């Protein structure tokens, strides 16, 4: 990791009864995103206390690479279905590494 | 990473005017925690939109290793000073890796 890297924590809660349908879409997003330029790490996690909540831990080479990613079809398609699949808006915070 | 690993996202907002005093304490916690058994990854980050907010990304070999960590003096000392140093309670969520 170097100073220009951007770390993102994004989180989404899938609607009741839709995990089986939506989880494969999140997994497909992981596979396609890992091939994108500047994607250093992109991992999907499940909240141990709420099985409908999923968290992406992302490491991007630069802000520019992250911004390009956000415009790509796989993520845009997911964002377009936010209201249909998720119990609330997706959240995403960006960080730099301190230590 | 394997299936028993536990990923933790912990976050804290330092009180106004106290970052200079508290940040070295968070950095010291990183150094001591990385030496603890079962600590696979333990990184400190700063929120790019709110410079008083810090996030720990942690990967633990197992739940037992994480629970042992929580009892260790460095973290306990930090938790004991929560009200003095932080603008609100520290938050921590635990996850397993899905993909």
């Amino acid at each position: 990791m170097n100073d220009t890297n951007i770390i993102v924590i994004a989180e989404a809660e899938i609607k009741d009864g839709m995990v089986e349908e939506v989880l494969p879409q999140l997994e497909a997003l992981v596979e396609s995103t890992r091939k994108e330029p500047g994607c250093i790490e992109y991992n999907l996690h499940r909240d141990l206390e709420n099985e409908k909540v999923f968290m992406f831990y992302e490491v991007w080479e630069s802000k520019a690479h992250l911004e390009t990613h956000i415009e790509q079809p796989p993520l845009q398609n997911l964002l377009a279905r936010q209201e249909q699949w998720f119990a609330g808006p997706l959240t995403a915070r960006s960080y730099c590494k301190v230590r």
Side-chain angles (χ1 to χ4, degrees), chain A:
Chain A
M1 251 191 237
N2 60 43
D3 291 349
T4 61
N5 290 168
I6 303 285
I7 290 86
V8 174
I9 302 293
E11 206 161 82
E13 180 170 351
I14 296 175
K15 282 185 176 176
D16 271 338
M18 297 198 75
V19 169
E20 216 170 300
E21 178 187 344
V22 177
L23 180 50
Q25 309 294 329
L26 304 186
E27 291 173 321
L29 178 64
V30 170
E31 294 310 323
S32 63
T33 300
R34 283 177 179 164
K35 295 175 192 132
E36 291 178 14
C39 181
I40 297 171
E41 208 168 333
Y42 198 88
N43 298 325
L44 178 63
H45 305 81
R46 188 172 207 164
D47 189 304
L48 292 176
E49 285 164 35
N50 180 344
E51 295 221 318
K52 294 178 294 181
V53 171
F54 290 84
M55 181 271 286
F56 292 93
Y57 169 74
E58 314 174 20
V59 181
W60 292 92
E61 203 172 299
S62 73
K63 195 175 177 215
H65 287 103
L66 170 58
E67 286 168 350
T68 302
H69 160 64
I70 292 168
E71 299 311 318
Q72 299 311 300
L75 183 59
Q76 285 298 317
N77 293 341
L78 190 105
L79 294 175
R81 308 191 73 172
Q82 242 183 124
E83 279 181 28
Q84 183 188 344
W85 285 348
F86 301 106
L90 278 73
T91 63
R93 306 287 311 175
S94 298
Y95 305 85
C96 62
K97 188 177 174 191
V98 172
R99 185 173 289 247

